[in-house]
Every structure is written in C-alpha cells, then in structure tokens.
Amino acid sequence: MAEKDQVPKLEEILDKCCQGKPLSTPEITYLLGLKEGHKISQVFQTAQRIRARHFGNKIFLYGFVYFSTFCRNNCTFCSSRVSNKLARRYRKSEEEIVEAACLLAESGVHLIDLTMGEDPFYYRSENGFDSLLGLIQKVKRETHLPLMVSPGVVPKDVLAEFARAGVDWYACYQETHNRQLFVYLRPEQSYDSRLSSKVYAKQSGILIEEGIITGVGENLSDIVFSTEVIRTLEAQQARVMSFVPQIGTPMLDRKSPSRLRELMTIAVLRLLFPDRLIPASLDVDGLDLLQERLEAGANVITSLIPPRLGLSGVSQPSLGIDEGSRTVQGVASLLDQIGMAVATNQDYSQWVCAEKSALTRGSVNYEVVV
Ligand code: SF4
C-alpha cells in the first residue's frame, strides 16, 4: 500500500471507532502493526477521546494482595511455577492478608484483588475452598470494597460460592488464545477449562477479567483473535501485559518485548471496547511508562501494593513496592500532572453495580466461546 493511501485509511478506521462501528480483522491488524510515530499518536489520541466519553478523566485504582506464591502448575513464563527452586515462596496468614487489604482500603483504592497461585493448600479436597471462602468474607467485611479474586481455575460450584460470599470479579487469564502457544505457556492445563471457568463465573453473577501477555511468541493475528474472544466472552475488563523474564524459568533467556506492542494493544482494546475497563499494570515497569499506558487509553491502575509487608508482584516481585511508589500516593501526583484524577469509591461502585445488574439480563453461550 502506498504511503499516501495509508493516511486516509487510518483516519477512516479511527472515524469508524468514534462512531461506534465495528472494525474488520484487517483493520485491527493494521492498527496493531503501526510503527510510524505520528500515526501511533493519532490512535492514542482517539483512544483517549473515546475513554473520556465514557469515563471523563477518572481513573480507577486496584489494590493487589498476592497472598500465596505456591502453585501446583508449571507455567513456563511464571516465577511461581511448581518446579522453580528459585521462586520466593510464601503463604500469608489470614490476619496478614486482612491487614494488607485494610491498609490498601484506607489508602484509597477502589477494589481489592486477592491473588494466589493454584496453591495445593487451598486446592486440597478437604476444606480447602472453605478457608478461601472464609478469607474472602472476612476481607469483604473489613474493607467494604468491591473484591476481585484470582485463584486460578476453580470448580463451578466454588464460583457460585464466591458469588454468595460477595466476590464481584473473577480474573483468570488465558494469556493467549492460540491453543498451541497455550500448551507451551501452560503445560498440562486445559485451555477449555480455563476459558469456561470465566463463563461459569459470569453465569454465577460475577464480572470477569480476561488477559493476554505480549512477547511470548504470539503474532498479530493471535492478538486479533484474542480481541474476538474477549468480545465473545463479554469480559468487563481486559488486560494486556508485556512478558518479563523470570529467574528459574525456561523462558529466562527470552527478552522482554518492546512496550509498543502492549501500548498498541491497550489502545486497540479501548477502540474496540470503549466502555470496558482496561488496566495499566504497575507490575511490568513500576511507575515508568504508566503515563504512556494511560495515554494509550487505559483507565485502571492495577497492582498497587502496600510497602514493607513482604508481598510480591507477579511479573516484578519487588519493583517499587517497598519504595512506596506502587501506592495511591505514588500514582496520584502523576495523574494530576497529566490531567487525570482518581475516581471516587462511589464512581467505581456504581460502575460495578450497573455491570452486575446487566449480567442478570444476559448470558454468554459457552459453546460459542470455546
Ligand atoms: S501463572 Fe498462575 S497457574 Fe501458572 S504457575 Fe504462575 S501462579 Fe501458577
């Protein structure tokens, strides 16, 4: 395609986005593959305009409590994989978890995300999920905040129990929707079970987050396909994160990718899903590039972690945590500088309530998704 033909094409595509019209697969692929700075800026500016239409200048903040780094799985990209002898393992007590959640709540986050590996302690057949449910109820009771859980793939009836215990969100990232790549990234795990757990969560009345990683061997078509799955799942939140190599894993020698792919994917997600939540994670680069992620169209900052409690991030076990930069205070001044603002708790709760009410009116067809 001649250069002179590309400019109107980009404008036409962005115009379609502004009018809420769907994009074709070649159009999405074209956006994701853009390399020229001025075109990328046009995409980001459109993503910001579309975000502003639905969320104004408000940004939501998520507190993150990674309470157990034990896991029965062996994902090739993850430090917590069971065979990693160099992993930093811990399992926080209920008191420690509640303390961390309360500190986050007091600091002003809008949601608490309780994350763990598929820890055999909680997955044991006797009373395992009961103790997790007890923990969830306690955190909910003490913080009065919307709650996300990221415990891995759990049985369908446990998802229903989560809903009854007050869980608002279930996050269970596929990381790729290329089945062959999934087998490499998540050996001996079921693609379909992971995907269907999100469908079951929605059927139980829980909002869902889907996610992908860039830089793990995917191509642009894989990302385009992921956007189709996210659309079919009707995920309320969709996140993309760049791969970060982890010590003690088979992917240690793979380079962390250029952040451009993640930023373009954030922007494309915003263009495709104007009123959905799209995170900018502090877990990849800390505060560095947070501004760029927000300027690409993200409207949630995730992985705020209270300092000095011995809690880890996932991709970046310690980056910025004890220094206090992954806190509400740490991000608020940046938001101010770029003309954005921290949303109120009421803003966020209203959004969650409206989405949960909408859930009861529609349902995802499992057969269509897989
Ligand atoms: S990505 Fe999740 S399931 Fe896989 S090893 Fe890490 S903690 Fe376990």
Side-chain angles (χ1 to χ4, degrees):
M1 186 186 289
E3 176 68 19
K4 64 183 171 51
D5 295 329
Q6 287 186 5
V7 176
K9 186 180 177 191
L10 176 59
E11 282 164 355
E12 278 167 30
I13 295 171
L14 297 180
D15 233 38
K16 279 173 82 173
C17 296
C18 290
Q19 293 172 43
K21 293 182 181 165
L23 298 188
S24 65
T25 297
E27 287 170 334
I28 301 171
T29 312
Y30 169 75
L31 290 178
L32 287 169
L34 284 174
K35 296 276 186 294
E36 303 91 331
H38 66 285
K39 292 182 182 173
I40 291 168
S41 298
Q42 270 179 273
V43 175
F44 290 170
Q45 280 162 19
T46 307
Q48 288 172 46
R49 270 203 303 279
I50 288 177
R51 178 187 59 199
R53 211 184 269 171
H54 294 276
F55 298 98
N57 69 342
K58 302 287 178 59
I59 297 292
F60 300 133
L61 306 179
Y62 286 7
F64 184 68
V65 184
Y66 190 17
F67 63 91
S68 172
T69 59
F70 287 89
C71 187
R72 61 183 183 174
N73 289 328
N74 216 18
C75 299
T76 44
F77 59 92
C78 177
S79 170
S80 297
R81 70 197 306 262
V82 63
S83 62
N84 187 1
K85 303 276 183 288
L86 301 175
R88 183 180 158 242
R89 303 278 178 201
Y90 62 79
R91 181 184 301 119
K92 295 294 180 185
S93 69
E94 187 174 284
E95 291 67 32
E96 289 171 314
I97 298 164
V98 172
E99 181 196 359
C102 287
L103 282 172
L104 284 165
E106 283 159 23
S107 76
V109 301
H110 303 114
L111 168 140
I112 304 293
D113 174 3
L114 292 179
T115 292
M116 64 177 208
E118 290 190 8
D119 182 347
F121 173 80
Y122 290 104
Y123 276 72
R124 68 193 192 276
S125 53
E126 215 176 302
N127 301 333
F129 290 115
D130 285 353
S131 49
L132 185 55
L133 283 160
L135 170 67
I136 286 168
Q137 284 163 338
K138 196 153 190 188
V139 170
K140 189 82 187 176
R141 203 167 50 237
E142 298 289 329
T143 64
H144 305 287
L145 284 182
L147 192 62
M148 173 181 276
V149 294
S150 317
V153 179
V154 298
K156 192 176 176 182
D157 58 323
V158 173
L159 289 164
E161 294 281 348
F162 282 170
R164 281 193 282 278
V167 166
D168 300 283
W169 287 92
Y170 175 66
C172 188
Y173 312 122
Q174 216 72 11
E175 306 298 14
T176 178
H177 299 91
N178 172 330
R179 284 174 183 264
Q180 213 176 341
L181 187 53
F182 182 94
V183 169
Y184 172 67
L185 295 175
R186 295 189 177 279
E188 293 175 42
Q189 294 172 59
S190 162
Y191 178 96
D192 292 326
S193 301
R194 201 166 184 88
L195 200 61
S196 56
S197 68
K198 285 170 281 237
V199 177
Y200 296 144
K202 282 193 81 176
Q203 289 169 351
S204 301
I206 302 176
L207 308 178
I208 56 167
E209 180 181 22
E210 177 58 305
I212 58 172
I213 306 187
T214 58
V216 287
E218 81 290 346
N219 56 37
L220 292 189
S221 309
D222 294 326
I223 299 178
V224 176
F225 183 61
S226 288
T227 67
E228 286 168 22
V229 177
I230 289 165
R231 181 180 298 286
T232 311
L233 275 172
E234 296 176 1
Q236 288 80 12
Q237 183 163 305
R239 79 100 168 94
V240 52
M241 276 171 61
S242 300
F243 166 73
V244 178
Q246 304 293 317
I247 290 166
T249 69
M251 291 178 73
L252 177 63
D253 292 337
R254 180 179 275 271
K255 279 202 180 112
S256 193
S258 151
R259 297 299 181 257
L260 180 60
R261 179 165 283 193
E262 180 190 323
L263 295 174
M264 291 311 291
T265 307
I266 288 174
V268 164
L269 287 170
R270 172 59 62 209
L271 299 180
L272 296 178
F273 309 112
D275 62 351
R276 304 294 83 187
L277 304 189
I278 298 166
S281 176
L282 295 171
D283 210 32
V284 179
D285 300 303
L287 285 184
D288 289 349
L289 301 186
L290 174 59
Q291 178 171 347
E292 285 79 354
R293 288 178 169 96
L294 294 170
E295 288 175 351
N299 69 326
V300 178
I301 300 175
T302 59
S303 285
L304 294 161
I305 299 177
R308 295 175 288 281
L309 292 185
L311 290 163
S312 274
V314 173
S315 305
Q316 294 283 9
S318 59
L319 181 69
I321 297 174
D322 284 345
E323 296 84 340
S325 60
R326 289 168 68 165
T327 58
V328 173
Q329 249 188 339
V331 299
S333 56
L334 172 73
L335 290 178
D336 198 38
Q337 282 164 33
I338 61 172
M340 306 297 293
V342 177
T344 64
N345 284 84
Q346 198 187 8
D347 291 331
Y348 185 69
S349 297
Q350 279 175 353
W351 194 93
V352 168
C353 276
E355 290 297 323
K356 287 179 83 174
S357 306
L359 264 188
T360 56
R361 296 196 291 271
S363 65
V364 177
N365 183 340
Y366 170 73
E367 301 301 332
V368 174
V369 173
V370 296

